[in-house]
């Protein structure tokens, strides 16, 4: 997979050289490049922002540096603004032979919610481009224009505001990158983790079996793998009901074994038409 990140703070993306993602880059599983938006300006001050039409607080990112930068990365030519202009003049729309348009991800609290399902979807793409906005955002016309060359997806991590897209890109690239074949050593670790099945993960324990007067749940020491699997599943239900009841609305309860229905009943949920319904009295 090819990933390009455009930012006015390329140093912010330095952690992508570390750990699993850094290793994936070294191993050639992930071709990731970070670009400085200011390299695509043409004025002496390398200006990337200006005051908003209509008034109001803050600054807005100017469209032209973004068009130059995105044209360059879509064409796979991004060393400097000269390259960007050449690619633009040639009308380049993407690397030759690439299947479909690259996906342009625009981190924004006004975007669609980024979830584990989004990460899986994006992990199938050939090329992702992340456009890190700062200030009050990027001139809206950039996104309209870019849709000729990219599938444009404004994405939000959640309902809170960050100062810019960079931290969100660190999170999204890690979530996507770890799903690429070969990046996570043992692919089984991807199966039983939070959100892989629409539920939160069960609690985990390691040695010693008794620590500061606290014992590991006995079932985990029993060697009974059926019992252990059931206990873990029920812990997932309990945790999800307690911390993220919103996730249970989407949960498919149609084929649950009797013991699991009972577990949900104990948590105050009935199964109605294959869906979990919170009892009003619970
Ligand atoms: Cl993706 N970007 C920014 N700037 N703020 C956010 C966000 C993204 N997700 C939540 N808040």
């Amino acid at each position: 997979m090819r990933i390009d990140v455009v930012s006015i703070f390329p140093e912010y993306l330095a952690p992508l050289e570390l750990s699993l993602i850094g290793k994936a880059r070294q191993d050639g599983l992930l071709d990731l490049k970070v670009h400085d938006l200011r390299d695509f300006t043409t004025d002496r001050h390398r200006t990337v922002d200006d005051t908003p039409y209509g008034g109001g607080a803050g600054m807005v990112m100017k469209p032209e540096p973004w068009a130059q930068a995105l044209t360059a990365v879509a064409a796979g030519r991004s060393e400097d603004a000269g390259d960007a202009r050449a690619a633009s003049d040639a009308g380049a729309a993407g690397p030759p032979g690439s299947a479909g348009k690259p996906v342009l991800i625009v981190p924004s609290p006004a975007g669609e919610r980024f979830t584990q399902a989004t990460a899986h979807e994006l992990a199938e793409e050939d090329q992702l481009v992340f456009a890190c906005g700062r200030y009050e955002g990027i001139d809206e016309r950039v996104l309209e224009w870019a849709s000729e060359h990219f599938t444009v997806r404004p994405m939000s991590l959640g309902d809170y505001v960050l100062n810019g897209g960079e931290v969100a890109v660190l999170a999204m690239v890690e979530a996507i990158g770890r799903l690429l074949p070969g990046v996570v050593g043992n692919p089984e670790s991807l199966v039983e983790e939070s959100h892989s099945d629409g539920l939160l993960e069960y609690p985990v324990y390691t040695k010693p079996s008794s620590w500061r007067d606290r014992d590991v749940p006995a079932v985990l020491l029993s060697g009974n793998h059926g019992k252990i699997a059931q206990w873990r599943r029920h812990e997932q239900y309990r945790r999800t009901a307690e911390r993220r009841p919103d996730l249970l609305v989407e949960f498919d309860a149609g084929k649950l074994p009797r013991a699991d229905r009972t577990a949900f009943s104990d948590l105050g949920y009935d199964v109605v038409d294959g869906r979990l319904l919170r009892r009003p009295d619970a």
Side-chain angles (χ1 to χ4, degrees):
M1 170 179 278
R2 164 79 188 215
I3 295 182
D4 292 282
V5 184
V6 183
S7 163
I8 59 167
F9 295 122
E11 305 88 346
Y12 231 119
L13 286 308
L16 295 176
E17 283 165 29
L18 306 175
S19 191
L20 227 62
I21 299 299
K23 176 81 170 13
R25 291 171 74 180
Q26 277 181 4
D27 294 350
L29 301 171
L30 177 61
D31 177 12
L32 188 148
K33 291 209 163 49
V34 180
H35 313 273
D36 187 342
L37 180 68
R38 291 191 200 277
D39 290 346
F40 299 91
T41 58
T42 49
D43 66 310
R44 208 157 50 84
H45 300 289
R46 316 223 305 160
T47 313
V48 293
D49 63 335
D50 208 334
T51 54
Y53 277 119
M59 298 290 271
V60 173
M61 295 191 105
K62 292 164 65 62
E64 190 55 23
W66 277 111
Q68 295 294 337
L70 296 177
T71 302
V73 298
R77 311 171 53 164
S78 50
E79 300 319 314
D80 58 34
D83 268 2
R85 276 192 301 277
S88 176
D89 293 346
S98 74
K101 296 190 254 186
V103 179
L104 177 64
I105 299 155
V106 187
S108 160
E112 154 200 6
R113 183 69 154 269
F114 180 88
T115 66
Q116 189 64 21
T118 322
H120 277 282
E121 245 176 70
L122 294 174
E124 300 295 317
E125 298 289 338
D126 289 334
Q127 189 187 6
L128 305 178
V129 178
F130 290 88
C132 296
R134 282 266 151 183
Y135 319 116
E136 300 308 306
I138 304 171
D139 187 305
E140 188 66 18
R141 294 168 294 180
V142 172
L143 278 64
E144 295 168 19
W145 164 84
S147 67
E148 282 178 38
H149 307 282
F150 299 88
T151 301
V152 180
R153 297 189 69 177
M155 305 266 11
S156 168
L157 294 189
D159 296 337
Y160 47 84
V161 179
L162 303 171
N163 285 333
E166 286 80 4
V167 166
V169 167
L170 291 178
M172 289 189 273
V173 168
E174 183 156 318
I176 296 161
R178 63 194 292 284
L179 299 178
L180 299 176
V183 172
V184 169
N186 180 1
E188 280 194 46
S189 359
L190 300 178
V191 180
E192 292 197 9
E193 61 186 7
S194 288
H195 303 294
S196 58
D197 53 6
L199 297 169
L200 303 186
E201 188 50 305
Y202 50 77
V204 294
Y205 302 86
T206 187
K207 293 171 274 300
S209 64
S210 186
W211 175 78
R212 299 197 178 197
D213 287 335
R214 290 159 198 279
D215 294 340
V216 170
V219 61
L220 298 178
L221 311 177
S222 70
N224 183 333
H225 297 294
K227 268 264 165 55
I228 291 170
Q230 185 188 71
W231 180 85
R232 285 178 165 168
R233 224 165 45 242
H234 291 184
E235 285 297 303
Q236 288 190 271
Y237 302 158
R238 190 184 54 71
R239 253 195 187 178
T240 309
E242 187 171 304
R243 300 178 185 174
R244 292 294 305 279
D246 58 300
L247 295 178
L248 295 181
V249 175
E250 296 291 322
F251 187 73
D252 178 8
K255 297 186 190 76
L256 285 183
R258 162 113 76 232
D260 290 45
R261 286 172 189 254
T262 305
F264 271 119
S265 179
D266 293 346
L267 294 166
Y269 289 84
D270 291 330
V271 178
V272 180
D273 295 335
R275 294 279 153 194
L276 292 169
L277 207 68
R278 180 133 176 91
R279 280 197 304 277
D281 59 299

